[in-house]
Amino acid sequence: MRIVIYSMLVLLIAIQYPLWLGKGGWLKVYEMEQQVELQEAKNSLLALRNAKLAGDVKDLKDGTRAVEERARVEHGLIKEGEFFVQILPADKSGDAKATKQ
């Protein structure tokens, strides 16, 4: 009788092994779900970036205002007859010295 019980117990363990640790077991499924969630988060960030870039491309194709704005901001270009005025933020360390004196 003991042999039957022990053999059934071994058989039960042998059946449970693929369920938990096998190729399609629960642990593998859990790991895959975690990887899918991580990839979905990365994909959503990339989708936002792609939408922004698509908007930039549309602006550059459709009008000259975007090209002019980029030239002004990135390259400091000005039109003929214009004056360039740059306002710098106040230096906080200089303000602190002035108030201490």
Side-chain angles (χ1 to χ4, degrees):
M1 191 66 168
R2 286 186 183 173
I3 295 174
V4 173
I5 292 174
Y6 288 135
S7 63
M8 294 294 258
L9 185 61
V10 168
L11 183 63
L12 179 66
I13 291 172
I15 291 172
Q16 291 291 316
Y17 175 79
L19 178 66
W20 290 94
L21 303 171
K23 187 175 182 179
W26 288 3
L27 295 176
K28 295 285 184 184
V29 170
Y30 178 75
E31 289 175 8
M32 292 296 232
E33 286 175 352
Q34 297 298 320
Q35 290 177 0
V36 166
E37 288 178 11
L38 182 64
Q39 190 62 44
E40 285 176 348
K42 287 180 184 179
N43 288 350
S44 65
L45 290 175
L46 290 174
L48 289 174
R49 186 191 73 168
N50 288 347
K52 181 180 178 243
L53 290 174
D56 287 346
V57 167
K58 183 178 181 263
D59 286 343
L60 289 172
K61 283 183 178 179
D62 292 343
T64 59
R65 296 188 93 196
V67 174
E68 184 178 338
E69 179 184 347
R70 282 191 177 230
R72 289 177 179 268
V73 171
E74 293 177 6
H75 301 289
L77 299 177
I78 58 173
K79 290 182 181 178
E80 197 171 310
E82 286 184 337
F83 294 101
F84 177 73
V85 178
Q86 183 176 10
I87 300 173
L88 298 174
D91 186 20
K92 294 182 180 180
S93 62
D95 291 341
K97 290 179 185 176
T99 57
K100 289 183 181 177
Q101 293 177 353

